[in-house]
């Protein structure tokens, strides 16, 4: 059975036709938001993480209908005025992007952390990324990237270069 | 951590250039095989065997075919009976031809029985449940010992299988190498240790599961867009299995979401391709996470016995390694992974005159082994480096010092290099670069070896210890692996670099671009890298055996040098100067006089002006040796003596990979490999029911390390230069994964005095070992 819900995806409110049993992940990928990756379907890997009303969630673990009327941010919505989000830039600069499959989900969890804690410790970052599995990096450069982004977002780009 | 000292004077090589694909990946562009969205695609689902071993007596697909939305059902009755190996290796593959697309006998729980192609994934899955199969159960073999029992059931009795060493006794392959007289050497030794270690079933867990799309192009050719490490092997093997000419298939490798060896295997391409050929429709197959665990590939579990004999001064007199490898139901990589357990480990200790390696690979009715980062060396090093630690303890020596006394050095060789190859003898070689001594110095200093070893610092129930191990790997398969590169010059003085080399997330597109940029005197931004499309790029064996930096990198270097010579010839005419005095730098050709002409002017003249020609070249490279990278590994652990839990508090991995073309990328390889190895050492284990069913095929129940589970892994790259490497580089991708199991086992011993010989070192195993010791 299908129905139509309203989702605000990356700031654009739109009607979306969904099946009642469909996950938000399936709907977002079908709508072309390919940054939202499909890694496990059980909420364990975090590759499908998006922001739902500002909080990072695994989009495979929520029915699309449960997101009716709510705001979703994916990596596609992070670029402003042709500039990447500081965390995306930090991930690239730190060498934290290897295969890149987990990168979008990891970025969303990092942004969630930075929205709550502008000055995280290394342990804060590790805890925030606990739900985003990465098999390539050993997390070292991912953690560095989140810490670097925090510096940039706090003090402007110049502070982060030190 | 930061740009290292630019010791070789390179402009692009040795610098942390951002990856050429990082922007697309960080912005979520549709760059993976599953990202291309097509409403008209058929979706493929698989029916898997519930039996560990059974003959399919009958299979009735009529109810599935009648389901609305089902386009096609494939079984052994309507698919090619061609025998092949799923191993994505060079031709001829050194793995037995012991499987068909669908086998009439199923050989493990999870073996492929049928596939359904339907309009939606849901319909395809529903239809698999409507396939009626009658099985005739056969006795199953669920361990190495059962496989080798005198009256063991035969797993591959089919007459059509070829390349099996002794099918009647479930033996896939045998390697016996005897150098000198190892028994005499052991008898002549002052100190002898004899240790046996066993490793578990483990899975690669790429975050992107296997995924393939197939479609027909406008000329009716089959196109496979596939997440693979071996596009050219995919083309060759699919052509054979589907009885198509190679030229009727195009394989495109997009971005790959991690492989680690799991994608050096032809698993989905033949089925997806056949669906497209039969229906004319685009088709997509994607493994679910449980299928990825059970039905893709695993690391071969091994039982490895090592005997070491040493003189009183600690130098090795005799080394004996005996390996039994479990390849599961099919022999994919069965011979070569077992061979590497010896060939990538024993040359490290080349002092002993008497060396023996005896290895066997056996079939069982369990999931299938395959290539997995480390490729047998990982399993071999557990026993070898545990034995070296035991030897140090028996001699009353520092484990670091015992390694220093015995490891191979520059200018030295080992008879093992020539004795064990991959399906044929190996290649003699002399080590041209080895900075292990400095790796040991730095690692010992960083971990605090002198202060912490034997101290057994105690914090409540937690007892601390430090452990170490050393390692080598190779750089490609000598005399086997070939890579090629094409470079052509464009109007604006930029270049296209076309490579068959297969970036599976390692950053090889970037580092190969850096090599080309270095030779051609341009920034990386002027190199447009395109990789792994069998229609568009030259051949390369693919991403495995730590080959890309060395083999493909040397091909790129050669192609770039040929292009440079062509550019210099044009510049010579333009500048009216001797070509020998012309260099390329800063996007210009610069004569001995200091006169300059830009690459853009050279390109425009060549394409549109005088002596018109496309400046460009293709070059190939095959290694006549396989220079080993080296690694010294140190860890500090804490063991909870009440619960048996082990925590890794600090990890230092010091690597000699020659010149790191891109230090960030090289460090990332070491950091990721160590993380993967820590999971393998402590938590990762496929568990089986008494009927051979995997009990934990989810990321909840099969625990890979998450960020809070790991210390900040400290990867340190030492200055080194490999004379035969491109810009002095060797490989680095695999070696790190060999280290955590022995390093952590040895650290546990330092902390609590017990030796763990079965991985992973779960709390239960550690507690049992502690209990047994008291």
């Amino acid at each position: 059975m299908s129905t139509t819900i309203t989702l605000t995806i990356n700031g654009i409110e739109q009607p979306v036709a969904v099946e009642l049993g469909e996950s938000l992940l399936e709907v977002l990928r079908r709508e072309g938001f390919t940054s939202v990756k499909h890694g496990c379907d059980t909420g364990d890997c975090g590759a499908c993480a998006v922001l739902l009303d500002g909080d990072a969630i695994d989009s495979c673990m929520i029915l699309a209908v449960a997101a009716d009327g709510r705001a979703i941010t994916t990596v596609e919505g992070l670029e402003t005025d042709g500039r990447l989000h500081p965390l995306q830039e930090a991930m690239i600069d730190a060498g934290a992007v290897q295969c890149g499959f987990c990168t979008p989900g990891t970025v969303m969890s990092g942004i969630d952390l930075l929205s709550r804690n502008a000055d995280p410790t290394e342990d804060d970052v590790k805890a925030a990324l606990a739900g985003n599995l990465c098999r390539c990096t050993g997390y070292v450069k991912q953690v560095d990237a989140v810490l670097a982004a925090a510096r940039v977002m706090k003090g402007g780009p110049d502070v982060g270069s030190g | 951590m930061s740009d290292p000292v630019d010791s070789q004077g390179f402009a692009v090589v040795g610098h942390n250039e951002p990856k050429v694909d990082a922007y697309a990946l960080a912005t979520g562009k549709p760059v993976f095989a599953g990202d291309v969205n097509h409403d008209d695609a058929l979706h493929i689902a698989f029916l898997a065997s519930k039996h560990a071993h059974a003959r399919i007596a009958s299979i009735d697909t009529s109810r599935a075919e009648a389901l609305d939305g089902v386009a096609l059902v494939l079984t052994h009755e309507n698919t090619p009976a061609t025998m092949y190996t799923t191993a994505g290796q060079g031709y001829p593959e050194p793995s037995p031809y012991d499987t068909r697309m669908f086998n009439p006998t199923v050989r493990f729980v999870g073996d492929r029985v049928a596939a359904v192609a339907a309009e939606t994934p849901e319909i395809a899955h529903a239809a698999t449940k409507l396939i009626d199969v009658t099985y005739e159960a056969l006795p199953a073999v669920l361990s190495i010992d059962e496989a080798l029992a005198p009256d063991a059931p035969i797993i591959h009795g089919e007459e059509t299988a070829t390349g099996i060493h002794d099918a009647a006794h479930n033996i896939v392959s045998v390697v016996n190498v005897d150098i000198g007289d190892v028994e005499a050497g052991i008898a002549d030794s002052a100190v002898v240790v004899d240790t046996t270690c066993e490793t578990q079933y483990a899975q690669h867990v790429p975050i992107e599961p296997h995924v393939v799309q197939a479609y027909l192009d406008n000329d009716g050719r089959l196109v496979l867009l596939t997440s693979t490490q071996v596009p050219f092997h995919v083309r060759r093997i699919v052509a054979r299995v589907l009885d198509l000419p190679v030229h009727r298939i195009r394989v495109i490798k997009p971005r790959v979401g991690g492989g680690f060896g799991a994608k050096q295997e032809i698993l989905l391409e033949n089925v997806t391709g056949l669906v497209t050929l039969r229906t004319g429709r685009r088709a997509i197959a994607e493994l679910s996470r449980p299928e990825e665990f059970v039905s893709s590939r695993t690391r071969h579990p091994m039982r490895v016995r090592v005997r070491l004999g040493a003189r009183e001064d600690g130098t090795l007199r005799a080394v004996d390694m005996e390996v039994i490898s479990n390849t599961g139901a099919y022999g994919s990589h069965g011979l070569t992974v077992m061979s590497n357990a010896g060939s990538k480990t024993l040359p490290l200790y080349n002092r002993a005159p008497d060396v023996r390696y005896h290895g066997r690979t056996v079939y069982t009715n369990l999931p299938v082994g395959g290539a997995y980062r480390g490729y047998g060396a990982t399993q071999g090093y557990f026993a070898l480096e545990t034995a070296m630690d035991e030897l140090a303890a028996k001699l009353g020596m520092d484990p670091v010092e015992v390694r220093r006394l015995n490891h191979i050095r520059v200018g030295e060789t080992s008879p093992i290099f020539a004795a064990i190859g991959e399906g044929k003898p190996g290649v003699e070689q002399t080590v041209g670069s080895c900075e292990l001594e400095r790796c040991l110095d730095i690692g010992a200093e960083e971990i605090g070896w002198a202060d912490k070893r034997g101290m057994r610092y105690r914090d409540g129930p937690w007892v601390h210890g430090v452990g170490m191990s050393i390692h080598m790997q190779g750089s490609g398969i000598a005399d086997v692996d070939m890579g090629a590169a094409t470079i052509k010059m464009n109007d604006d003085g930029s270049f296209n670099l076309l490579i068959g080399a297969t970036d599976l997330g390692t950053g090889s597109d970037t580092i190969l671009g850096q090599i080309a940029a270095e030779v051609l005197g341009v920034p990386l931004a002027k190199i447009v890298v395109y990789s792994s499309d069998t229609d568009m790029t030259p051949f390369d064996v693919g991403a495995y055996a730590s080959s890309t930096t060395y083999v493909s990198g040397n091909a790129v270097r050669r192609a770039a040098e040929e292009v440079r010579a062509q550019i210099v010839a044009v510049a010579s005419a333009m500048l009216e100067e001797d070509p020998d005095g012309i260099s390329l730098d800063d996007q210009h050709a610069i004569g001995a006089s200091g006169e300059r002409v830009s690459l853009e002017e050279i390109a425009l003249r060549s394409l549109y002006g005088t002596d018109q020609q496309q400046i460009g070249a293709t070059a190939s490279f095959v290694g006549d040796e396989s220079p080993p990278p080296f690694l010294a590994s140190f860890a500090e652990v804490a063991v909870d003596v009440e619960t048996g839990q082990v925590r890794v508090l600090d990890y230092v991995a010091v690597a000699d990979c020659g010149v790191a073309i891109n230090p960030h990328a090289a460090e990332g390889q070491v950091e990721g490999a160590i993380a993967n190895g820590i999971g393998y050492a402590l938590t990762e284990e496929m568990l089986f029911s008494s009927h051979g069913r995997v009990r934990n095929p989810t990321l909840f129940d099969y625990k890979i390390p998450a960020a809070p589970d790991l210390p900040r892994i400290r990867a340190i790259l030492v200055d080194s230069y490999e004379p035969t490497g491109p810009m002095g580089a060797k490989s680095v991708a695999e070696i790190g994964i060999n280290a955590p199991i022995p390093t952590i086992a040895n650290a546990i011993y330092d902390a609590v005095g017990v030796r763990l010989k079965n991985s992973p070192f779960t709390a239960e195993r550690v507690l049992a070992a502690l209990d047994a010791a008291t």
Side-chain angles (χ1 to χ4, degrees), chain A residues 26 29-30 34-35 37-40 44-45 47 75-76 79 84 88 92-95 97-101 103-104 122 126-127 129-130 133-141 144, chain B residues 19 23 25-28 30 32 34-35 37 203-205 207-208 256-258 260 286 289 372 505 664 667-669 671-672 675-676 684 699-700 704-708 710 712-713:
Chain A
E26 290 172 279
R29 282 190 67 80
R30 195 177 58 230
T34 51
S35 74
K37 302 300 184 194
H38 177 213
C40 72
D44 293 311
C45 79
V75 155
E76 286 88 345
E79 219 168 310
L84 299 183
Q88 289 173 297
I92 294 171
D93 292 343
V97 180
Q98 283 197 30
C99 86
F101 196 79
T103 303
E122 187 164 339
K126 284 183 167 183
L129 302 188
L133 296 178
C134 172
R135 198 58 150 169
C136 294
T137 65
Y139 306 102
V140 177
K141 290 176 170 44
D144 287 348
Chain B
K19 282 180 71 202
Y23 173 82
L25 291 164
T27 54
F32 293 97
D35 287 345
N37 225 334
Q203 218 271 329
H204 315 62
V205 194
I207 307 301
E208 177 204 41
V256 172
F260 315 107
E286 180 178 6
R289 184 56 61 182
Y372 190 156
H664 267 169
E667 288 164 9
Q669 287 302 306
E671 290 157 0
N676 193 337
E684 297 185 31
L699 290 170
F700 186 78
I704 75 168
L710 296 171
R712 183 183 179 82
I713 296 161

Side-chain angles (χ1 to χ4, degrees), chain B residues 349 351 399-407 409 436-438 440-442 444 470:
Chain B
Y349 297 120
R351 297 283 181 271
V400 173
E401 295 311 314
V402 174
R403 267 84 171 186
R404 282 190 204 277
L405 276 176
N406 287 290
H407 74 72
R409 283 165 167 79
L436 249 183
E437 286 162 88
R438 280 205 298 123
L440 283 165
D441 290 343
I442 293 168
I470 62 172

Side-chain angles (χ1 to χ4, degrees), chain B residues 11 67 120 133 211 232 270 337 415 431 435 517 527 533 536 569 589 591 683 706 721 735 748 762:
Chain B
L67 186 68
T120 68
V133 189
V211 55
F232 286 87
N270 46 18
V337 166
V431 171
E435 297 294 337
I527 306 287
D533 175 335
M536 302 294 178
T683 59
Y721 188 89
I735 188 167
I748 292 171
T762 58

Side-chain angles (χ1 to χ4, degrees), chain A residues 43-121:
Chain A
D44 293 311
C45 79
C48 66
V50 298
L51 299 184
L52 184 64
D53 293 335
D55 296 327
I57 56 125
D58 289 334
S59 62
C60 72
M61 296 303 286
I62 178 172
L63 292 174
V65 290
D68 190 12
R70 302 174 74 178
I72 294 153
T73 307
T74 72
V75 155
E76 286 88 345
L78 294 180
E79 219 168 310
T80 47
D81 304 328
R83 289 202 60 184
L84 299 183
H85 187 280
L87 181 51
Q88 289 173 297
E89 287 190 349
M91 294 283 279
I92 294 171
D93 292 343
V97 180
Q98 283 197 30
C99 86
F101 196 79
C102 73
T103 303
T106 303
V107 165
M108 299 325 284
S109 292
I111 289 174
D112 181 19
L113 168 72
L114 294 173
S115 73
R116 290 180 283 107
N117 180 353
D119 194 15
T121 65

Side-chain angles (χ1 to χ4, degrees), chain B residues 332-660:
Chain B
S332 176
H333 299 270
L335 165 65
T336 43
V337 166
M338 175 268 284
S339 301
N340 271 256
S343 65
K344 295 289 187 283
T345 59
L346 298 175
L348 184 60
Y349 297 120
N350 63 338
R351 297 283 181 271
D354 299 309
V355 184
R356 180 164 73 182
Y357 176 81
H358 284 192
R360 282 176 292 175
T361 306
V362 301
Y363 286 121
T364 59
N365 293 114
L366 289 167
V368 185
Y372 190 156
R373 194 179 208 172
Y375 204 80
T378 317
Q379 296 94 315
Y381 272 118
F382 179 16
L384 182 62
E385 285 299 277
T386 296
M388 286 298 285
D389 219 61
E390 289 185 41
L391 183 66
K394 262 195 167 173
L395 289 161
M397 291 177 70
D398 183 332
V400 173
E401 295 311 314
V402 174
R403 267 84 171 186
R404 282 190 204 277
L405 276 176
N406 287 290
H407 74 72
I408 197 167
R409 283 165 167 79
V410 171
E412 296 180 356
T413 188
S414 158
I416 294 291
F417 284 132
I420 314 178
E422 302 220 359
K424 61 180 194 179
V427 171
E428 264 189 41
Q429 63 177 14
T430 300
V431 171
S433 58
C434 176
E435 297 294 337
L436 249 183
E437 286 162 88
R438 280 205 298 123
C439 294
L440 283 165
D441 290 343
I442 293 168
E445 173 72 24
E446 289 291 326
I447 205 77
W449 184 254
D451 296 332
K452 291 176 179 169
R453 186 173 76 89
M455 297 310 289
R456 298 196 171 172
Y457 167 75
R458 191 164 178 143
D459 176 16
W462 294 94
V463 183
H464 293 214
V466 289
M468 57 82 57
S469 60
I470 62 172
H471 304 271
M472 57 166 268
Q473 195 88 24
S475 297
I477 311 170
D479 259 1
V480 172
D481 288 343
M482 192 275 272
T486 298
I487 297 174
K488 67 183 181 72
M489 192 176 195
N490 299 313
D491 308 41
D492 61 349
S494 69
F495 300 87
N496 292 103
L497 171 62
L498 308 173
I499 38 179
T502 306
D503 192 335
L504 66 156
T506 54
S508 67
D509 281 0
T510 305
I511 66 120
L512 295 174
Q514 287 180 259
I515 291 169
E518 187 69 46
V519 175
L520 295 166
V522 299
L524 179 58
K526 286 295 186 78
I527 306 287
V528 182
V529 185
Y530 183 72
S531 63
S532 302
D533 175 335
T534 58
D535 268 13
M536 302 294 178
T537 65
F539 178 87
D540 191 291
V541 288
Y544 57 87
S546 290
S547 61
T548 304
T549 300
Y550 185 75
V551 175
S552 312
N554 266 320
V556 170
R557 178 185 56 77
R558 279 185 180 171
E561 284 170 353
E562 288 181 31
V563 170
R564 181 176 61 185
Q566 293 173 25
I567 291 170
V568 165
V570 176
S572 167
M574 293 173 79
L575 294 169
E576 297 180 346
E577 288 198 38
D578 182 41
D580 291 344
I582 296 175
S583 60
L584 299 189
D585 189 23
D586 189 27
Q587 306 186 64
H588 285 74
I590 305 160
S593 67
E595 286 294 306
R596 297 153 66 95
V597 57
S598 73
L599 295 189
E600 182 174 9
E601 292 169 285
I602 291 169
L604 288 171
R605 174 185 155 113
S606 297
L607 292 170
Y608 304 106
T610 312
D611 297 328
Q612 281 166 266
Q613 58 165 320
Q614 169 69 63
I615 292 177
T618 296
S620 306
F621 183 83
V622 184
D624 51 19
E625 55 186 89
S626 175
F630 295 94
L631 184 99
S633 161
F634 291 81
E636 180 177 2
V637 306
V639 182
D640 184 331
V641 293
E642 292 174 2
T643 66
Q645 196 187 345
V646 177
R647 270 199 223 143
V648 180
L649 303 175
D650 191 11
Y651 208 110
V652 178
V654 192
D656 163 11
C657 60
V659 169

